Amino acid sequence: MSVTADEPLLFSPLPLGALAESAMLSMADVVFLSKLPASTLSRLWRNEHWLDRVSGATLQQLVAVLPGLAEYVTRRSYGSRLGTVLRECDEAGLDISNGRIGALLSDGPPAQHVATTLAAASSMMRLDSHGAVSNLARCWGASQDVALDALFSAEPHGLLADMAPLVEKGLQLIDILDGGTNSLHTTVGYGILVHKLTKLTGAVPADTSPHARERNSAFAYRSGTIGVLLRSGDTDASVAYSRSLDQNALLRRNELWSMTSFYADMPQSSDFSLPAKGGLHNTEAAMSRDLASSNEAYLHYLVTSAIPVLLEHDQLFGAATGEIARQLRDRLERGVSDKRVVTAGAKLLKSMP
């Protein structure tokens, strides 16, 4: 459900009777349609907090007969959570406007993702390392990343009026976590923090190594590298990353897991295992978009690292190698200034089935 920027973000509770009256229904009408006892409805009719007291079975019967009730229940549910995390952010010293939240929700990610992002911000400001990585890890995914980008972006598109306090706390958390553990949530949450801070500041805030021997360090190394590519367009960083992948099987495995889980083609397995086969439809669509629009450093990463690793897993690349090849040819024909990218792109095209 979308929310416009000028709507109240935190939806005020309404009595059941007000919801019925907006649908031109009286209590007698609702009793007749729902087959609920009048005594049950009378206890809820003028109570603003009826939703906290109604049973699941009664709510189902009401939803079946009251237009707009399901939408109201949804709005109240995420509105309540948003209200809680916004208060926590305010108490932690973050300046977030309802207008920016509303604008993000109008065409962006679901409200649930926005609330999780804000919960991560609140945890970061309190230096709650467990809460920060746990919430950040739940932001792994293409839709969730839209909300995270809004958190880690400057005005006018960012959620924060002043990024400095969050960046300061984020850098402190990097030192506290120091790479974290190999658990799924700590690895992903720490890696996301490394990536976002790198993308925002231009400098990798942690000591990441291309000689990774643990999955947490492999994920962090990739996270920092992608942040550099997106921030500075440094093709040298992509060249170094590609060489590292050629020399380190763990990095190649992490690359495959990262791409396919981020685009929801494969599950986020707790042990980072991968199924032998699996469709790559979402990843293929993302590759096509990125080939057409990314900066040249990221384009080099796609043709030397991401796409070759994906092709190793599935030679047909979700039966879409033709579309990938077409997008790459079109991009090269439009003109690429870095000869290393042109050479790598031509090499990939020649090798594709």
Side-chain angles (χ1 to χ4, degrees), residues 260-278:
T260 56
S261 64
F262 185 81
Y263 292 112
D265 279 327
M266 291 189 186
Q268 296 182 31
S269 52
S270 59
D271 60 353
F272 290 78
S273 61
L274 294 162
K277 293 294 180 183

Side-chain angles (χ1 to χ4, degrees), residues 83-101:
T84 298
V85 295
L86 280 171
R87 284 190 294 273
E88 291 174 352
C89 286
D90 182 64
E91 292 167 0
L94 291 176
D95 182 9
I96 304 173
S97 75
N98 281 3
R100 293 191 188 95
I101 298 282

Side-chain angles (χ1 to χ4, degrees), residues 149-167:
D149 267 346
L151 177 65
F152 287 93
S153 297
E155 291 187 292
H157 303 296
L159 295 177
L160 300 178
D162 182 7
M163 286 292 306
L166 187 69
V167 172

Side-chain angles (χ1 to χ4, degrees), residues 210-244:
H211 308 296
R213 292 293 178 266
E214 300 287 342
R215 59 182 177 233
N216 59 342
S217 53
F219 192 83
Y221 172 58
R222 178 185 185 274
S223 299
T225 298
I226 300 301
V228 169
L229 298 179
L230 294 175
R231 167 73 182 200
S232 62
D234 181 4
T235 304
D236 288 340
S238 176
V239 172
Y241 182 71
S242 177
R243 288 172 179 165
S244 298

Side-chain angles (χ1 to χ4, degrees), residues 123-331:
S123 296
M124 288 172 61
M125 292 300 294
R126 299 193 308 273
L127 294 180
D128 173 7
S129 57
H130 175 73
V133 296
S134 296
N135 281 294
L136 286 170
R138 270 74 178 193
C139 295
W140 180 250
S143 177
Q144 297 93 315
D145 197 56
V146 177
L148 266 182
D149 267 346
L151 177 65
F152 287 93
S153 297
E155 291 187 292
H157 303 296
L159 295 177
L160 300 178
D162 182 7
M163 286 292 306
L166 187 69
V167 172
E168 179 184 353
K169 296 296 184 180
L171 293 172
Q172 291 180 42
L173 271 176
I174 290 290
D175 291 336
I176 292 171
L177 290 164
D178 192 28
T181 67
N182 273 320
S183 71
L184 173 65
H185 294 142
T186 304
T187 295
V188 174
Y190 177 80
I192 287 175
L193 188 56
V194 168
H195 170 73
K196 294 303 179 184
L197 290 174
T198 302
K199 186 178 173 184
L200 184 66
T201 66
V204 181
D207 182 17
T208 60
S209 171
H211 308 296
R213 292 293 178 266
E214 300 287 342
R215 59 182 177 233
N216 59 342
S217 53
F219 192 83
Y221 172 58
R222 178 185 185 274
S223 299
T225 298
I226 300 301
V228 169
L229 298 179
L230 294 175
R231 167 73 182 200
S232 62
D234 181 4
T235 304
D236 288 340
S238 176
V239 172
Y241 182 71
S242 177
R243 288 172 179 165
S244 298
L245 257 65
D246 289 340
Q247 300 166 6
N248 191 324
L250 177 61
L251 291 180
R252 299 186 76 80
R253 185 178 184 82
N254 175 72
E255 178 66 28
L256 178 62
W257 186 93
S258 298
M259 293 293 292
T260 56
S261 64
F262 185 81
Y263 292 112
D265 279 327
M266 291 189 186
Q268 296 182 31
S269 52
S270 59
D271 60 353
F272 290 78
S273 61
L274 294 162
K277 293 294 180 183
L280 301 176
H281 174 75
N282 296 329
T283 310
E284 178 275 324
M287 295 298 96
S288 293
R289 292 192 299 270
D290 289 343
L291 284 169
S293 61
S294 63
N295 66 39
E296 292 191 6
Y298 196 81
L299 179 61
H300 185 273
Y301 152 74
L302 291 175
V303 300
T304 61
S305 297
I307 293 175
V309 166
L310 290 163
L311 284 171
E312 284 179 4
H313 177 76
D314 182 357
Q315 278 292 314
L316 296 180
F317 200 37
T321 49
E323 176 60 19
I324 291 293
R326 185 185 71 79
Q327 289 286 0
L328 179 53
R329 287 194 189 94
D330 288 349
R331 178 64 186 273

